[in-house]
Amino acid sequence: MNTLQSKDEADTLPVLSGEVAVTMPELPAQLVINTVQQFKAISDPTRSRILGIIQNQPATAKQIADRLGASPGAIGHHLHVLETAGLAKIVARRLVRGIVANYYTRTARIFKYDLPREVTGDTSINLDIMARAYEELAEADVNKEADVYQCSSFPHIRLSSERARYYSERLMTLVEDILHETADPGGEVYGIFVTMFKAPAYLQGPGTSTPSESAVADEEQD
């Protein structure tokens, strides 16, 4: 599905008066990132943060700039790059002090990657997502208000291929449920990071352990 919105389409949106609130539209649950243009657009740290802001609320370049401590001109450039790549779109226009302001959202609630190694190069998509989650959590942890719902866990368990697939599918089902949750306009934004991966080599090895001759010798010497 081509989510890129042309300028003509944006110009057909009615211009709202200053008293009319701009509400968050219902976005598609997912959009597949599968082009070089999209990958380059989303890989920029500032554009990634912009996409985070407009994931749950429409915002103008000025509003985004105020939240990120940047100039509206710079944010406007980033929004243009995202819009051209089909990752952001104008959803409303409102008259503000005699000027028509464009309100942007992203084009889907979550972006999934389907890119060959030739495009991503040495960049690990999973590690990049994890790094963004780490940065957000680090910034959130400086909040003075207690986050009563914050939770984390990092278990390891030996699983058969069938059970690994079972839990992977359960996690993805949970993500789908979250994506289809009706957003509460009066609620707060929560970040949810989900991953499952095969542990590195040093955590592998046989599932059972038997003493080796050297181990027995060491025990006898003790």
Side-chain angles (χ1 to χ4, degrees):
M1 179 178 65
N2 183 10
T3 58
L4 180 60
Q5 184 184 40
S6 70
K7 184 178 183 301
D8 290 339
E9 289 175 335
D11 288 342
T12 63
L13 294 171
V15 178
L16 306 175
S17 65
E19 296 77 22
V20 178
V22 178
T23 58
M24 187 69 186
E26 185 67 30
L27 300 180
Q30 298 180 352
L31 174 70
V32 177
I33 302 297
N34 56 12
T35 69
V36 176
Q37 182 185 32
Q38 290 173 324
F39 179 65
K40 289 182 177 180
I42 203 172
S43 296
D44 179 86
T46 299
R47 289 195 282 270
S48 177
R49 299 185 77 175
I50 291 172
L51 288 171
I53 291 174
I54 60 177
Q55 185 177 22
N56 292 282
Q57 62 185 109
T60 66
K62 176 65 167 57
Q63 291 171 334
I64 297 170
D66 289 343
R67 293 176 67 171
L68 295 182
S71 69
I75 297 301
H77 167 73
H78 287 303
L79 284 169
H80 176 71
V81 173
L82 292 169
E83 189 178 13
T84 302
L87 305 180
K89 63 179 180 179
I90 299 171
V91 295
R93 299 190 300 162
R94 187 164 67 175
L95 193 63
V96 180
R97 301 187 187 90
I99 299 174
V100 176
N102 294 323
Y103 285 77
Y104 292 83
T105 68
R106 48 198 278 164
T107 51
R109 296 187 67 182
I110 195 171
F111 297 133
K112 296 190 70 174
Y113 292 84
D114 182 17
L115 294 162
R117 191 73 176 184
E118 294 76 25
V119 173
T120 60
D122 294 332
T123 302
S124 169
I125 298 299
N126 290 329
L127 288 178
D128 185 55
I129 294 173
M130 187 177 293
R132 295 180 196 177
Y134 172 84
E135 290 174 0
E136 280 197 22
L137 179 58
E139 291 175 338
D141 274 348
V142 303
N143 294 338
K144 295 182 179 179
E145 296 181 4
D147 187 353
V148 297
Y149 300 118
Q150 185 180 124
C151 59
S152 59
S153 180
F154 187 28
H156 294 80
I157 186 171
R158 191 179 297 275
L159 297 170
S160 67
S161 177
E162 291 75 14
R163 295 300 289 173
R165 181 173 66 251
Y166 167 75
Y167 281 109
S168 176
E169 291 173 352
R170 278 189 63 183
L171 289 172
M172 289 302 97
T173 298
L174 176 60
V175 171
E176 288 291 333
D177 290 345
I178 293 168
L179 290 177
H180 289 90
E181 177 77 17
T182 300
D184 185 344
E188 296 181 292
V189 177
Y190 287 85
I192 301 169
F193 174 71
V194 178
T195 188
M196 179 175 174
F197 60 94
K198 188 180 292 185
Y202 78 90
L203 290 176
Q204 301 299 336
T208 59
S209 180
T210 57
S212 65
E213 292 182 359
S214 60
V216 172
D218 289 342
E219 290 176 359
E220 289 178 349
Q221 290 176 5
D222 293 339

